[in-house]
Amino acid sequence: MRQLGVVQIDFVNVLIPAHYVTAFSRLGPYDRAMFDRLVYEHREFIEQWAHEAAIVPVELWPLLRHRRATHRVRPWGFETFLETYAAYSDLVIDKVRAGGPISADELPAPDGHDRRLGREWMSTIPRAVLEAHFGRGTLAVAARRQNMARVFDLAERVVSEEHHARQLEHADEQRELIRLAARAHGIGTAADLGDYYRLNINDARRRIAELVDSGDLREVQVDGWRQPAYLAPDARLPKGITAAALLSPFDPVVWFRPRAERLFDFEYRIEIYTPKEKRRWGYYVLPFLLNDRLVARVDLKADRTSNRLLVLSAHPEPHIDEDEVAVALAAELEQMARWLGLGSIRVGRIGKLSGALRSAVNAH
């Protein structure tokens, strides 16, 4: 997690929340309770708006001050409510200060208001107010309930004094974020490095130029890339790459689509919000990395009622050995099914890879 520098949070639960998959992709089966203890008990990591909603090392708290200062409250337009009902917003903070950590369901609605926020994903006014204070850095996430609901406390009670009180110049924040992004990437363009922590591209280019001048980054050319690239000083070229990993739709390997296309010739879009009849690949599609290529994509679902991992579709990328990929993918699916506590795997019939994959799964 420190090597990555940021783990994006997403709670779409058709398979398992995406941030758990990020570690599985790199480590294989692990105890998810360890992940939760690391973040919410040891306090070495903390939730913050970073790339998107994310888990980051707690020492990034001062580096993300600009994100908190410019946070856009959600749902869009909710700032008007906060301004109009400032007394209620202040009351929420007073309740936390006096009573300790609190979740949205423990807060009353403002007088004269329904709790609900229509069909907004925030769902209730108390939750939206808590999330606004979180985005601005007044509150921090102290815990997650079993239903994944956030529990908030004052930021200074969650973040250690060392990090909460630390103040940096804005340019210093940005330079350090670029360094961290370069370490995570190994090599990347200005757009790659800037997107990692959502820096303005012009600011990212200025900070990169400064880091090149100071010797903290090296400008290089990569065959086939139109833009110059920047090499982290401790990046090493491996003698070979041996890997087999299913990647969540929110994995850093694929979340910046131009980089995925440039590195792997892999065009990827999340189709969760695409109407079913217009989807090309499926609802929750995971790319499959084999060695140094993205070779296939599978639409997965954890059917907990039938205790099965469902492969709704399996599509190969061009110019691969489908039998070789199917065998490697079947082994990875078997690991994932065991990790999720599912007893079997069922491969559907959609996609050119489905037949070979079904045979490989049945052979295990």
Side-chain angles (χ1 to χ4, degrees), residues 5-9 39-40 45-69 71 131-141 144 150 152 155 158-159 163-164 177 196-197:
V6 55
V7 175
Q8 186 172 338
I9 296 170
V39 176
Y40 301 109
F45 295 84
I46 192 168
E47 292 192 24
Q48 268 284 270
W49 285 97
H51 180 77
E52 289 291 330
I55 295 166
V56 298
V58 69
E59 54 266 29
L60 265 66
W61 177 269
L63 304 182
L64 296 169
R65 179 171 55 96
H66 65 285
R67 290 294 298 270
R68 298 188 292 274
H71 178 71
E131 294 282 354
H133 285 303
F134 163 71
R136 293 169 173 176
T138 311
L139 299 179
V141 177
R144 287 270 187 176
R150 280 170 159 169
F152 298 89
V158 177
V159 182
H163 301 304
H164 190 268
L177 290 173
Y196 208 63
Y197 291 105

Side-chain angles (χ1 to χ4, degrees), residues 263-310:
L263 281 176
F264 302 107
D265 194 23
F266 188 81
E267 184 181 333
Y268 185 53
R269 299 292 183 271
I270 298 173
E271 297 182 305
I272 290 173
Y273 304 109
T274 302
K276 184 176 182 179
E277 65 276 8
K278 294 184 178 181
R279 289 178 197 145
R280 184 178 179 189
W281 307 111
Y283 180 79
Y284 201 75
V285 174
L286 280 69
F288 180 52
L289 176 73
L290 185 61
N291 300 325
D292 61 353
R293 294 182 62 193
L294 291 174
V295 295
R297 58 189 90 201
V298 285
D299 185 13
L300 298 184
K301 179 178 180 179
D303 187 341
R304 294 169 179 89
T305 302
S306 64
N307 195 33
R308 293 186 300 187
L309 177 62
L310 304 182

Side-chain angles (χ1 to χ4, degrees), residues 83-364:
E83 293 166 1
T84 305
Y85 296 93
Y88 177 77
S89 180
D90 293 341
L91 173 68
V92 170
I93 297 299
D94 291 342
K95 279 185 171 292
V96 176
R97 182 174 288 112
I102 200 168
S103 62
D105 59 6
E106 296 172 288
L107 283 171
D111 290 342
H113 276 268
D114 184 21
R115 286 182 68 83
R116 305 293 303 174
L117 265 177
R119 296 183 179 180
E120 295 289 351
W121 69 276
M122 283 292 183
S123 70
T124 69
I125 289 174
R127 181 184 173 191
V129 172
L130 286 169
E131 294 282 354
H133 285 303
F134 163 71
R136 293 169 173 176
T138 311
L139 299 179
V141 177
R144 287 270 187 176
R145 296 259 167 84
Q146 283 193 337
N147 65 358
M148 301 301 175
R150 280 170 159 169
V151 179
F152 298 89
D153 200 354
L154 297 178
E156 60 263 31
R157 297 201 293 230
V158 177
V159 182
S160 67
E161 174 68 16
E162 171 192 4
H163 301 304
H164 190 268
R166 188 182 175 204
Q167 298 285 329
L168 292 89
E169 294 296 325
H170 187 38
D172 291 332
E173 295 173 7
Q174 292 178 331
R175 272 189 293 273
E176 187 57 28
L177 290 173
I178 290 291
R179 283 192 193 96
L180 292 169
R183 185 185 70 184
H185 282 76
I187 192 168
T189 65
D192 296 338
L193 303 187
D195 177 76
Y196 208 63
Y197 291 105
R198 292 289 202 249
L199 297 180
N200 173 277
I201 185 59
N202 292 324
D203 288 342
R205 289 195 175 106
R206 281 191 285 269
R207 302 293 85 85
I208 287 169
E210 294 162 359
L211 290 169
V212 169
D213 288 343
S214 67
D216 291 300
L217 283 179
R218 179 182 170 195
E219 183 173 338
V220 295
Q221 296 295 323
V222 177
D223 287 346
W225 290 19
R226 296 179 181 179
Q227 304 90 3
Y230 302 92
L231 188 68
D234 56 351
R236 296 291 179 267
L237 182 66
K239 292 180 180 179
I241 297 174
T242 303
L246 287 159
L247 305 176
S248 94
F250 305 96
D251 192 286
V253 173
V254 294
W255 72 27
F256 189 50
R257 310 311 182 205
R259 179 176 172 82
E261 291 185 32
R262 193 183 333 116
L263 281 176
F264 302 107
D265 194 23
F266 188 81
E267 184 181 333
Y268 185 53
R269 299 292 183 271
I270 298 173
E271 297 182 305
I272 290 173
Y273 304 109
T274 302
K276 184 176 182 179
E277 65 276 8
K278 294 184 178 181
R279 289 178 197 145
R280 184 178 179 189
W281 307 111
Y283 180 79
Y284 201 75
V285 174
L286 280 69
F288 180 52
L289 176 73
L290 185 61
N291 300 325
D292 61 353
R293 294 182 62 193
L294 291 174
V295 295
R297 58 189 90 201
V298 285
D299 185 13
L300 298 184
K301 179 178 180 179
D303 187 341
R304 294 169 179 89
T305 302
S306 64
N307 195 33
R308 293 186 300 187
L309 177 62
L310 304 182
V311 184
L312 302 177
S313 67
H315 301 274
E317 289 299 289
H319 314 301
I320 65 158
D321 182 326
E322 292 187 11
D323 291 331
E324 177 188 3
V325 168
V327 169
L329 179 54
E332 190 68 11
L333 289 167
E334 185 176 338
Q335 280 203 78
M336 175 169 274
R338 287 202 308 269
W339 179 59
L340 296 176
L342 301 172
S344 63
I345 302 168
R346 181 182 181 276
V347 181
R349 298 187 177 276
I350 299 175
K352 273 188 62 182
L353 191 61
S354 61
L357 181 59
R358 190 180 311 107
S359 297
V361 165
N362 291 340
H364 266 257

